[in-house]
């Protein structure tokens, strides 16, 4: 159902399991970043600020969206990465090759002596790596934006948690592995924030996104729900229609990150959405609107029943994004984002995100569509539904 790894690891975490170099997401099929913007995307306001922007990463999921948002504002963009993830993207943009780890390959040498107005770090997961880039660039960069995660918080049981909430810690701060259940992910992100701020005091924006979703999302987590609704038939849905959900469209996040650069904004920000309160029922309704011909029939299953099927070593039940609106996850989807709103974060409708996400996924090669990376398999879902109905009859 909801393992620690499932609900505490945000959309940027998957890359950490494969590399501590420059990838910011697992490789995804090539896509046209401009087309991924979708018809519902509103252009950013015009600006005369022609800033120079360095993106550490830039070709995974968040990076391309940031590139497009920065292009729209006329920024001069440079990407620094290993050239491993979709190197064919953005042939007209300056690309510097190296490794986030200064002890590997050419390390950060390509950045030596370079000056930029701002850096957006989309690919930092351990403090040593973030410290290396922030210290190197400190003399020649005005602003450092680090993409962290709401996973930094120690306690997710309290609704309306703001940026002053206590962050998690780790016994050995030199550890550079995520742990068996990704239990180190949040504390390491918190240490990354601290490393950046120490290297560039007063010039850092530490941004803590929730689940990042939308066109280009290679995790298939949020995508599972609109795809499952589109398939139709009886569908297992966890919890209740009123369970809260917080996600942020990658394009909304990217446009806001670029606004932070344009405005020279620093500080710590929770960055999730959407603009109006969203529930699990709302996610399903948006998915129905995007697939009006679907004959889906919803079966809402209580968290207690799902937990009983996992207890005692039962097979995990993969219901991505959703978290029980009780106990240790009661506040996970109710994070306070007022500080980010005041700094200009805005949101497109969830209906737009779902529609554009489906259009993007359905345009992927058939072999990629067949290899879903999250959610219940048809067989596992059918098995759970049978068991739920049989046990309900006995009551």
């Amino acid at each position: 159902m909801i393992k620690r790894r499932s609900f505490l690891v945000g959309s940027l975490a998957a890359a950490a399991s494969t590399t501590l170099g420059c990838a910011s997401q697992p490789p995804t099929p090539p896509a046209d970043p401009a087309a991924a913007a979708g018809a519902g995307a509103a252009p950013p306001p015009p600006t005369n600020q022609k800033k120079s922007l360095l993106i550490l990463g830039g070709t995974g999921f968040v990076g391309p969206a940031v590139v497009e948002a920065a292009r729209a504002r006329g920024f001069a963009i440079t990407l620094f990465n290993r050239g491993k993830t979709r190197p064919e993207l953005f042939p007209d943009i300056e690309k510097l090759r190296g490794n986030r780890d200064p002890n590997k390959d050419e390390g950060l040498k390509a950045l030596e002596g370079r000056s930029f107005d701002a850096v957006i770090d989309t690919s930092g997961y351990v403090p040593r790596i973030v410290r290396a880039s922030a210290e190197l660039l400190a003399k020649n960069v005005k602003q450092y934006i680090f993409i962290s995660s709401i996973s930094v918080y120690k306690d997710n049981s309290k609704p309306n948690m703001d940026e002053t909430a206590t962050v998690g810690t780790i016994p050995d701060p030199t550890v550079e592995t995520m742990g068996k259940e990704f239990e180190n992910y949040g504390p390491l992100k918190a240490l990354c924030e601290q490393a950046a701020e120490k290297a560039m005091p007063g010039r850092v924006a530490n941004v803590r996104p929730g689940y990042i979703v939308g066109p280009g999302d290679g995790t298939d987590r949020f995508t599972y729900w609109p795809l499952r609704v589109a398939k139709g038939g009886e569908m297992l849905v966890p919890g209740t229609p009123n369970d809260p959900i917080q996600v942020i469209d990658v394009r909304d996040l990217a446009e806001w990150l670029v606004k932070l650069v344009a405005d020279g904004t620093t500080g710590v920000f929770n960055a999730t959405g959407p603009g109006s309160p969203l529930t699990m029922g709302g996610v399903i309704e948006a998915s129905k609107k995007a697939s009006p011909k679907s004959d889906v029939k919803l079966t809402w299953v209580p968290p207690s029943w799902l937990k009983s099927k996992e207890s005692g070593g039962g097979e995990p039940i993969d219901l991505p994004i959703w978290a029980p609106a009780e106990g240790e996850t009661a506040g996970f989807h109710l994070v306070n984002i007022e500080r980010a709103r005041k700094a200009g974060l805005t949101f497109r409708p969830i209906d737009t995100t779902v529609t554009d996400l489906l259009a993007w996924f359905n345009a992927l090669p058939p072999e990629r569509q067949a290899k879903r990376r999250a959610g219940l398999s048809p067989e596992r879902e059918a098995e759970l539904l049978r068991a739920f109905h049989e046990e309900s009859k006995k009551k």
Side-chain angles (χ1 to χ4, degrees):
M1 177 175 58
I2 289 293
K3 295 292 186 181
R4 181 179 179 87
R5 173 173 175 173
S6 300
F7 78 86
L8 285 182
V9 181
S11 291
L12 294 178
S17 66
T18 57
T19 179
L20 293 177
C22 279
S24 58
Q25 275 288 331
T28 53
D32 180 354
T47 178
N48 294 321
Q49 297 170 301
K50 306 298 183 183
K51 295 201 173 188
S52 56
L53 174 64
L54 170 67
I55 302 174
L56 301 178
T59 56
F61 177 34
V62 175
V66 173
V67 169
E68 294 303 327
R71 271 177 162 173
R73 287 184 177 265
F75 287 6
I77 306 165
T78 299
L79 306 183
F80 175 83
N81 54 51
R82 298 173 304 162
K84 301 292 186 180
T85 301
R86 300 196 291 177
E88 74 282 357
L89 290 185
F90 311 122
D92 57 329
I93 289 179
E94 181 185 28
K95 298 174 183 177
L96 303 178
R97 298 302 186 209
N99 198 301
R100 290 297 304 272
D101 190 332
N103 300 324
K104 293 183 178 180
D105 305 319
E106 293 299 308
L108 300 168
K109 289 182 180 179
L111 297 177
E112 293 178 357
R114 294 296 302 266
S115 298
F116 303 92
D117 288 310
V119 178
I120 296 181
D121 185 344
T122 70
S123 56
Y125 297 96
V126 297
R128 178 178 65 85
I129 301 295
V130 173
R131 183 183 306 112
S133 57
E135 289 180 347
L136 174 66
L137 295 165
K139 294 181 180 179
N140 298 314
V141 168
K142 299 174 184 176
Q143 179 190 28
Y144 196 103
I145 299 178
F146 176 67
I147 309 304
S148 184
S149 169
I150 59 170
S151 298
V152 299
Y153 294 117
K154 182 178 181 179
D155 183 2
N156 293 277
S157 66
K158 300 175 182 177
N160 203 38
M161 180 169 51
D162 67 15
E163 292 83 356
T164 65
T166 303
V167 299
T169 58
I170 190 171
D172 181 1
T174 65
V175 166
E176 296 189 359
T177 57
M178 294 299 115
K180 185 177 180 181
E181 293 292 335
F182 267 51
E183 64 273 12
N184 297 339
Y185 173 75
L188 286 175
K189 277 288 192 180
L191 288 170
C192 288
E193 294 181 4
Q194 296 162 26
E197 181 63 30
K198 184 176 181 180
M200 298 178 63
R203 291 184 285 157
V204 176
N206 281 312
V207 175
R208 298 169 175 173
Y211 284 108
I212 307 171
V213 304
D217 179 7
T219 70
D220 292 352
R221 292 179 298 192
F222 184 78
T223 317
Y224 169 77
W225 300 106
L227 286 173
R228 180 61 190 85
V229 168
K231 180 183 176 183
E234 185 180 11
M235 174 181 174
L236 187 153
V237 194
T240 76
N242 296 322
D243 289 351
I245 295 291
Q246 283 183 311
V247 295
I248 185 166
D249 190 298
V250 66
R251 298 163 294 182
D252 293 332
L253 176 62
E255 288 165 12
W256 181 64
L257 292 173
V258 172
K259 177 175 172 56
L260 294 182
V261 173
D263 297 344
T265 303
T266 58
V268 182
F269 302 92
N270 294 330
T272 188
S276 300
L278 179 66
T279 63
M280 194 63 195
V283 170
I284 300 302
E285 286 305 312
S287 300
K288 285 182 177 181
K289 289 180 183 178
S291 299
K293 295 182 180 180
S294 171
D295 65 348
V296 68
K297 176 185 176 183
L298 308 178
T299 297
W300 294 88
V301 178
S304 58
W305 188 88
L306 294 167
K307 185 176 181 179
S308 72
K309 295 304 167 187
E310 287 190 330
S311 61
E315 181 183 344
I317 301 174
D318 186 7
L319 296 167
I321 301 292
W322 172 83
E326 58 189 27
E328 66 175 358
T329 58
F332 184 72
H333 281 297
L334 292 170
V335 176
N336 187 304
I337 58 171
E338 285 309 303
R339 184 177 293 183
R341 282 179 177 272
K342 290 178 180 178
L345 179 59
T346 59
F347 310 93
R348 67 200 68 208
I350 192 65
D351 290 357
T352 300
T353 297
V354 169
T355 299
D356 293 348
L357 178 57
L358 275 179
W360 168 78
F361 188 88
N362 289 331
L364 294 176
E367 58 272 19
R368 166 63 179 90
Q369 293 186 45
K371 294 181 180 179
R372 308 281 171 88
R373 297 167 176 169
L376 296 174
S377 68
E379 296 78 16
R380 179 62 166 151
E381 182 184 31
E383 173 191 341
L384 291 169
L385 286 170
R386 279 195 303 271
F388 178 69
H389 290 310
E390 289 174 1
E391 293 182 24
S392 297
K393 291 178 181 178
K394 296 177 182 178
K395 294 182 179 179

